[in-house]
Amino acid sequence: MRSNQQMANLLADADVTGLSARDIPPMFREVAERGWTVTQSGARVLTDLRPGEGRSYFDRLAEETTVNGRGMTDYDLLADAAGKRTNMLLRRSLAYIAACLRAAEQEFGDRQVLAYLSLSLGGTDDDLLTAHVTFCRPLPDTPPYIADLEQVRDIAVAEISVEDCPAR
């Protein structure tokens, strides 16, 4: 896993052991279970997140990150009391990432799909920690989705491959 220092610090303080499907909110669990699809442009997208026809994108990377990107469910979590919100967001996000990456590996027979997890302040007053997850494949001759990931300073961010996911 590649990450910046903020994400490394969050992960060091979190309990992310024993992740399972129970950690994934039901709506996200259904997305992971329904698997992946390839679009006309060759983009790998989660089937349930694929929009109707007629949308156009700058390139395949933009299509994958746009279609696959979602904020992690957090409406049931209280404001961060002693790190509980952070821990729950990390558990939910990492369990969802692992399920989707394993499904991608099974569907496509390779390990090309990467996940990007970010945690940042959001909400109506920019005072609530929120999480965002997306998936994409690197493109040759195109900068990565997040260039110089380790140098990002304004959010906690990680790039995760299926190899980074704990064994089931």
Side-chain angles (χ1 to χ4, degrees):
M1 175 185 312
R2 293 178 49 228
S3 73
N4 65 356
Q5 191 59 52
Q6 288 116 311
M7 182 63 79
N9 294 342
L10 291 176
L11 289 168
D13 292 338
D15 175 14
V16 293
T17 59
L19 296 175
S20 73
R22 291 186 312 274
D23 291 299
I24 307 171
M27 177 180 69
F28 284 81
R29 191 176 318 128
E30 290 173 11
V31 169
E33 288 170 353
R34 290 198 179 101
W36 293 81
T37 301
V38 177
T39 67
Q40 282 185 318
S41 71
R44 293 179 178 183
V45 298
L46 288 156
T47 303
D48 272 10
L49 303 182
R50 186 176 182 177
E53 298 302 317
R55 301 266 328 249
S56 63
Y57 301 90
F58 179 73
D59 61 19
R60 194 194 76 216
L61 182 65
E63 183 175 7
E64 288 179 353
T65 57
T66 301
V67 172
N68 293 325
R70 292 292 182 275
M72 181 49 66
T73 299
D74 65 357
Y75 54 83
D76 61 323
L77 301 176
L78 300 175
D80 207 0
K84 289 182 181 178
R85 180 182 181 83
T86 302
N87 194 67
M88 287 301 300
L89 282 172
L90 283 169
R91 287 189 69 80
R92 288 176 179 185
S93 298
L94 292 171
Y96 173 65
I97 286 168
C100 289
L101 289 177
R102 286 183 191 119
E105 180 181 32
Q106 186 174 24
E107 176 69 27
F108 303 119
D110 60 45
R111 296 176 165 204
Q112 292 182 22
V113 176
L114 299 173
Y116 289 87
L117 168 61
S118 63
L119 277 81
S120 61
L121 292 176
T124 56
D125 296 319
D126 245 9
D127 61 349
L128 194 61
L129 188 67
T130 62
H132 185 268
V133 175
T134 195
F135 301 91
C136 63
R137 286 179 297 153
L139 280 171
D141 303 323
T142 300
Y145 175 59
I146 301 178
D148 298 322
L149 181 137
E150 293 85 355
Q151 303 306 313
V152 172
R153 299 282 179 248
D154 55 340
I155 62 173
V157 63
E159 176 188 88
I160 303 164
S161 70
V162 72
E163 291 92 355
D164 301 317
C165 299
R168 291 189 243 182

